[in-house]
Amino acid sequence: MKKVLIYILTTFTILPIFSQNWEYIKNSSAYLYGEGWGVTISEARENALNDLISKIKVQVTGEIKQLESEGVVNDSIDAKREFVSKINTYSQATLTNTQQIIVENEPDAYVVRYIKRSELNRIFEGRKQK
């Protein structure tokens, strides 16, 4: 009985700490964070990291093509003009120093990955110098 009571007290003491940290991070401009959901912790962790990376850098590329053709069909001029526009967005980064909070465990896992903006700035400054 004593072990059960200790477990319950520990659970209700530790969970608010994690919740408080998550709320602080979520509402603080000092952090960037990504959220991820999945059946497993691993899947949610990966999705949270992808969400975080997508917030850090998104590269946009665009391509526009104009195709024209002319010809004579049955003694009349046939002209066609076609425009094709394509926009791609993608994110790419490697972050090895993010922190994580497991908000919900499996089977409906919810994980938050976060990093301080100051740490992120330090990383990118180091990359610029290389």
Side-chain angles (χ1 to χ4, degrees):
M1 180 67 180
K2 189 175 182 180
K3 287 182 182 181
V4 172
L5 184 58
I6 291 171
Y7 175 76
I8 291 171
L9 288 175
T10 304
T11 301
F12 287 111
T13 304
I14 291 175
L15 283 179
I17 292 170
F18 286 125
S19 175
Q20 210 169 22
N21 286 340
W22 167 224
E23 287 300 318
Y24 174 76
I25 290 165
K26 188 168 145 180
N27 295 317
S28 173
S29 61
Y31 293 92
L32 278 175
Y33 65 87
E35 299 173 276
W37 292 265
V39 176
T40 65
I41 294 290
S42 178
E43 180 183 1
R45 192 178 288 146
E46 183 178 334
N47 290 336
L49 185 58
N50 289 337
D51 185 41
L52 175 59
I53 289 171
S54 74
K55 292 176 180 177
I56 294 170
K57 181 180 178 184
V58 175
Q59 186 167 355
V60 179
T61 60
E63 181 181 341
I64 298 174
K65 291 182 183 178
Q66 179 178 341
L67 307 171
E68 295 182 19
S69 64
E70 291 182 11
V72 178
V73 177
N74 297 330
D75 294 332
S76 64
I77 297 174
D78 184 29
K80 293 182 183 179
R81 185 174 289 168
E82 181 180 352
F83 289 93
V84 178
S85 176
K86 184 164 94 172
I87 298 175
N88 296 317
T89 62
Y90 63 92
S91 305
Q92 183 176 1
T94 303
L95 293 175
T96 57
N97 54 346
T98 62
Q99 303 294 316
Q100 76 174 10
I101 297 174
I102 298 173
V103 181
E104 294 287 331
N105 257 316
E106 297 175 358
D108 297 320
Y110 173 37
V111 174
V112 176
R113 300 286 293 260
Y114 63 94
I115 189 168
K116 280 190 171 185
R117 287 182 188 268
S118 60
E119 176 69 12
L120 195 59
N121 292 338
R122 187 186 65 74
I123 291 168
F124 285 116
E125 283 301 317
R127 289 182 184 175
K128 280 182 188 178
Q129 292 174 3
K130 289 181 181 181

